């Protein structure tokens, strides 16, 4: 359990001190955010704010995890490493997107096909590897069965599982990307979901099927739940430290570097902890904002009319006159309620299995 505390504190500390160093470096190189003219007018003042801030919490998370293993003399697990691979791999794709936007002065960054190809390569690699490396009980980091609070139903088979995993990875990485439109919104919401997965990992570890004492009805057949909690704690701490600098008025933006990485980490934690469908509730704000874009685009194509003044949803409320801070705080409250409901359902699932 000490690992969780150490990783969280290290992630927080490294991100707190590393982010201002990155701000100075990016400002010196002139790597500032490009603001589209079709967005809310209030956002034009943000033009030039350093972006690619995701570099800070990606490095903080990786270093925190590595140092935790050194300090506690514990070995890394394949589940933890796979989640960090997905997190970092999608962060690299996002970095290339941000870099092209800034250096090449191309407002949309990577070409859509190139960006999708990068996400697919990283996602497929994660999905395939997650079905390898079985432990002594024959349990792999991921399961080919669907899951809510635990696995249920029949096996999807490896091919359909890879497609399902890709859907989750793409949906969450792009969901966080869409949410990252206001200062601190995506970062604060991510902190809450990573906190949820820290709790889930600890609970699964205490009720693991691999433990002869706790094995029984409702036990969790997850190979490395404690290490997943260590990864989640490092992510939570790193995002919390970054939030200090990313909250309004933001001194730095996470960019696609950060948003794609965070979405990948969320999907990876859900897949490896057997809580795939529960993620839609735990990360309810990301789902809500993504749905607003789907509804807006669908409505305009079918009827020629818009449902919202602007999508994603946060900009709709800005155009209604809400201040940026008001939107962020109220959306954080919504995310907090999603987190509470999700954890409640997770616990209810365990109680029902007893």
């Amino acid at each position: 359990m000490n690992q969780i505390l150490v990783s969280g504190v290290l992630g927080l500390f490294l991100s707190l001190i590393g982010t201002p160093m990155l701000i100075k470096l990016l400002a010196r190189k002139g790597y500032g955010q490009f603001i589209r003219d079709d967005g809310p007018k209030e956002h034009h003042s943000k033009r030039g704010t350093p972006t690619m801030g995701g570099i800070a919490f990606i490095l903080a998370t990786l270093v925190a995890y590595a140092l935790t293993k050194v300090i506690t003399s514990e070995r890394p697990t394949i589940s933890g490493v796979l989640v960090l691979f997905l997190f970092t791999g999608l962060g690299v794709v996002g970095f290339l997107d941000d870099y092209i936007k800034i250096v090449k002065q191309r407002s949309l960054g990577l070409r859509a096909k190139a960006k999708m190809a990068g996400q697919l390569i990283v996602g497929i690699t994660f999905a395939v590897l997650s079905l390898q490396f079985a432990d002594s009980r024959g349990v792999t980091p991921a399961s080919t069965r669907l899951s809510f609070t635990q696995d249920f139903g029949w096996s999807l088979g490896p091919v359909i599982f890879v497609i399902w995993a890709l859907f989750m990875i793409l949906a969450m990485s792009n969901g966080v990307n869409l949410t990252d439109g206001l200062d601190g919104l995506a970062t604060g919401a991510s902190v809450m979901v990573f906190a949820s997965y820290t709790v889930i990992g600890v609970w699964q570890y205490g009720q693991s099927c691999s433990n002869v004492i706790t094995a029984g009805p409702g036990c969790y057949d997850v190979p490395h739940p404690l290490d997943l909690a260590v990864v989640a704690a490092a992510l939570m701490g790193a995002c919390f430290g970054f939030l200090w600098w990313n909250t309004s008025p933001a001194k730095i933006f996470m960019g696609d570097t950060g948003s794609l990485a965070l979405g990948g980490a969320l999907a990876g934690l859900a897949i490896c902890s057997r809580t795939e469908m529960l993620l839609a509730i735990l990360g309810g704000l990301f789902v809500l904002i993504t749905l607003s874009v789907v509804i807006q685009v669908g409505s305009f194509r079918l009827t020629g009319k818009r449902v919202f003044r602007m999508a994603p949803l946060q900009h709709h409320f800005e155009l209604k006159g809400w201040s940026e801070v008001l939107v962020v705080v109220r959306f954080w409250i919504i995310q907090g309620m999603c987190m509470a409901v999700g954890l409640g359902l997770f616990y209810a699932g365990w109680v029902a299995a007893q």
Side-chain angles (χ1 to χ4, degrees):
M1 294 296 182
N2 290 337
Q3 292 185 74
I4 296 172
L5 178 61
V6 172
S7 67
V9 170
L10 284 174
L12 173 63
F13 175 74
L14 291 170
S15 186
L16 269 175
I17 65 172
T19 303
M21 296 169 62
L22 181 63
I23 292 172
K24 292 178 181 178
L25 175 63
L26 295 173
R28 188 162 60 245
K29 290 185 173 293
Y31 290 176
Q33 176 71 34
F34 178 88
I35 302 296
R36 295 173 60 178
D37 292 330
D38 57 352
K41 294 180 180 179
E42 292 79 5
H43 289 202
H44 292 174
S45 62
K46 300 180 181 184
R47 183 175 282 114
T49 301
T51 188
M52 298 194 291
I55 295 171
F57 58 72
I58 290 173
L59 292 177
T61 300
L62 295 177
V63 174
Y65 180 79
L67 287 178
T68 297
K69 297 304 175 181
V70 172
I71 292 170
T72 61
S73 299
E74 297 286 346
R75 298 179 63 181
T77 68
I78 188 62
S79 295
V81 171
L82 281 174
V83 172
L84 291 175
F85 163 77
L86 183 59
F87 169 64
T88 308
L90 290 179
V92 171
V93 175
F95 171 80
L96 293 174
D97 190 42
D98 287 334
Y99 185 80
I100 290 173
K101 287 178 186 175
I102 297 166
V103 178
K104 304 296 183 182
Q105 294 296 303
R106 198 162 77 202
S107 63
L108 295 179
L110 277 174
R111 303 293 183 191
K113 290 182 179 179
K115 188 173 182 179
M116 178 62 72
Q119 291 176 293
L120 288 175
I121 290 170
V122 175
I124 290 173
T125 302
F126 166 83
V128 171
L129 291 178
S130 68
L131 294 179
Q132 312 302 317
F133 308 103
D135 63 13
S136 58
R137 298 179 296 122
V139 181
T140 54
S143 168
T144 56
R145 296 166 65 192
L146 291 174
S147 62
F148 185 62
T149 60
Q150 294 196 48
D151 287 339
F152 67 87
W154 295 282
S155 171
L156 298 175
V159 175
I160 297 179
F161 165 76
V162 170
I163 295 172
W164 167 243
L166 274 177
F167 169 76
M168 285 190 61
I169 293 165
L170 293 174
M172 286 310 302
S173 59
N174 289 294
V176 178
N177 185 256
L178 290 170
T179 305
D180 183 35
L182 301 181
D183 295 352
L185 178 57
T187 310
S190 296
V191 167
M192 296 184 207
V193 188
F194 290 133
S196 299
Y197 274 107
T198 303
V199 173
I200 287 172
V202 171
W203 184 262
Q204 289 179 334
Y205 175 71
Q207 306 295 328
S208 175
C209 295
S210 64
N211 188 324
V212 294
I213 298 176
T214 58
C219 69
Y220 298 95
D221 210 8
V222 178
H224 313 108
L226 183 61
D227 205 42
L228 291 176
V230 172
V231 171
L235 285 161
M236 176 181 65
C239 287
F240 221 154
F242 181 76
L243 184 59
W244 180 271
W245 306 100
N246 181 234
T247 194
S248 182
K251 300 295 187 294
I252 189 170
F253 301 134
M254 70 169 69
D256 283 11
T257 306
S259 60
L260 296 187
L262 292 179
L266 291 171
L269 286 168
I271 291 169
C272 290
S273 65
R274 293 1 184 217
T275 55
E276 296 158 0
M277 293 184 178
L278 186 64
L279 178 60
I281 299 173
L282 289 171
L285 180 64
F286 302 124
V287 176
L288 178 65
I289 287 175
T290 302
L291 285 176
S292 73
V293 175
V294 173
I295 292 170
Q296 183 84 326
V297 173
S299 175
F300 187 76
R301 287 183 176 178
L302 291 173
T303 66
K305 297 181 180 179
R306 292 179 172 87
V307 176
F308 307 105
R309 295 187 181 185
M310 182 178 286
L313 187 61
Q314 61 268 34
H315 300 318
H316 167 79
F317 289 102
E318 278 191 291
L319 293 181
K320 286 191 67 175
W322 291 19
S323 69
E324 181 176 7
V325 173
L326 181 62
V327 176
V328 170
V329 172
R330 285 182 173 172
F331 275 42
W332 279 350
I333 293 171
I334 292 171
Q335 174 53 43
M337 291 189 290
C338 292
M339 170 186 170
V341 171
L343 287 176
L345 289 171
F346 176 78
Y347 180 69
W350 177 80
V351 171
Q354 299 306 298

